[in-house]
Amino acid sequence: MSDSILAQAAPPADQRIWYAADPLQFGDLRLPAGSGPFPVVIVVHGGFWRARYDLEHIGHVCAALTALGYATWNIEYRRVGNGGGWPNTFIDVAQAADFVPQLAQTYPIDAQSVIGLGHSAGGHLALWLAARSKLAPTSPLWQAAPLALQGVVSLAGVADLALADQRRLSQQAVQELLGGSPADYPERYHDASPVALLPLGVPQIVLHGTDDGPVPFGISQSYVAQALAAGDDVRLVALPNAHHFELIDPSSREWSAVVAAVQDLLATP
């Protein structure tokens, strides 16, 4: 397993833009060369929702996708340890996504052509963005008109929070995020977990390394089986012998599968 990508500085973004008032409520926008309007990939970083992991390391993914002709909106959000957790992490990610039409007023992006892409905990949040329309109006995470996504690419995503808690991923990171166990807060696990909100109603491509340690391959296997049973358009792409971080390393052999997934969901620029 190589996590060297985490230590490498990513190419700088074109603009850092705040979508709300908190210092952590911002995103990094990267725009391709040309006049646009460009399709948009909302990119959500991982790190088990914890404060010590920020958006910088996934900037490599953003720069590589932008070089292919996609605008990328790499979103930061409050995390466990710096004001995040339930419900603020979810509120931030939702606000960042819903800011895309406002970006389109200033920058040459197409707010009608948007997908979510996330890695690890960010894969969970990217899927959750597509699931928001299934929330009941009584949920603290409900929004009247969430941004419609054309699809989601999940890279080793934590798509089932109850199963992740059962497997005690990363010293029970899910309980840190939601404040307790499924028995303590069943309504939080329902509203926060993509698998509980199936069918999502948008195409999903789920990529996962078969030798992933931090987020076991079985998490995605189980999610995709349930999404298919619910009637969703979803595909599992198993990456043989791949670990966790190859999926966000544009120099890896697995990167071509990530690009293909994005191209499948968005018109090639």
Side-chain angles (χ1 to χ4, degrees), residues 15 17 29 31 35 99-109:
Q15 298 285 342
I17 300 161
L29 182 67
L31 297 168
S35 56
F99 195 72
V100 168
Q102 196 164 326
L103 290 173
Q105 296 176 16
T106 304
Y107 301 96
I109 64 174

Side-chain angles (χ1 to χ4, degrees), residues 128 134-136 178 185-194 196-197:
W128 179 81
K134 308 296 294 294
L135 293 168
L178 297 185
Y185 296 108
E187 73 287 350
R188 294 184 184 183
Y189 278 78
H190 176 273
D191 289 357
S193 187
L197 297 168

Side-chain angles (χ1 to χ4, degrees), residues 25-246:
Q25 293 173 319
F26 67 86
D28 283 350
L29 182 67
R30 290 174 171 85
L31 297 168
S35 56
F38 304 105
V40 182
V41 183
I42 298 173
V43 178
V44 193
H45 73 84
F48 281 113
W49 311 282
R50 291 179 176 129
R52 65 179 176 269
Y53 305 102
D54 64 16
L55 84 175
E56 295 296 337
H57 68 272
I58 210 165
H60 298 278
V61 167
C62 300
L65 291 176
T66 300
L68 295 174
Y70 302 100
T72 56
W73 175 229
N74 183 13
I75 61 174
E76 191 57 281
Y77 50 94
R78 288 172 291 175
R79 305 173 301 285
V80 175
N82 61 14
W86 177 272
N88 289 345
T89 290
F90 298 90
I91 289 169
D92 287 2
V93 171
Q95 280 190 289
D98 292 339
F99 195 72
V100 168
Q102 196 164 326
L103 290 173
Q105 296 176 16
T106 304
Y107 301 96
I109 64 174
D110 183 355
Q112 306 301 313
S113 185
V114 185
I115 66 169
L117 177 149
H119 174 243
S120 194
H124 152 253
L125 291 168
L127 288 166
W128 179 81
L129 284 173
R132 285 190 295 156
S133 62
K134 308 296 294 294
L135 293 168
T138 53
S139 170
L141 306 183
W142 181 80
Q143 290 284 335
L147 179 76
L149 299 181
Q150 283 190 217
V152 179
V153 177
S154 172
L155 307 176
V158 189
D160 184 335
L161 296 186
L163 181 57
D165 176 67
Q166 180 183 322
R167 295 195 177 196
R168 302 176 63 88
L169 295 196
S170 190
Q171 293 80 49
Q172 294 193 304
V174 178
Q175 293 200 24
E176 291 181 7
L177 174 69
L178 297 185
S181 71
D184 297 327
Y185 296 108
E187 73 287 350
R188 294 184 184 183
Y189 278 78
H190 176 273
D191 289 357
S193 187
V195 76
L197 297 168
L198 291 170
L200 306 192
V202 303
Q204 303 149 59
I205 302 177
V206 176
L207 295 87
H208 212 125
T210 61
D211 289 353
D212 194 313
V215 182
F217 177 66
I219 298 279
S220 285
Q221 274 186 310
S222 172
Y223 172 79
V224 169
Q226 293 177 75
L228 286 169
D232 265 345
D233 174 2
V234 58
R235 182 165 85 250
L236 176 63
V237 180
L239 300 169
N241 308 122
H243 298 273
H244 194 60
F245 294 103
E246 290 91 335

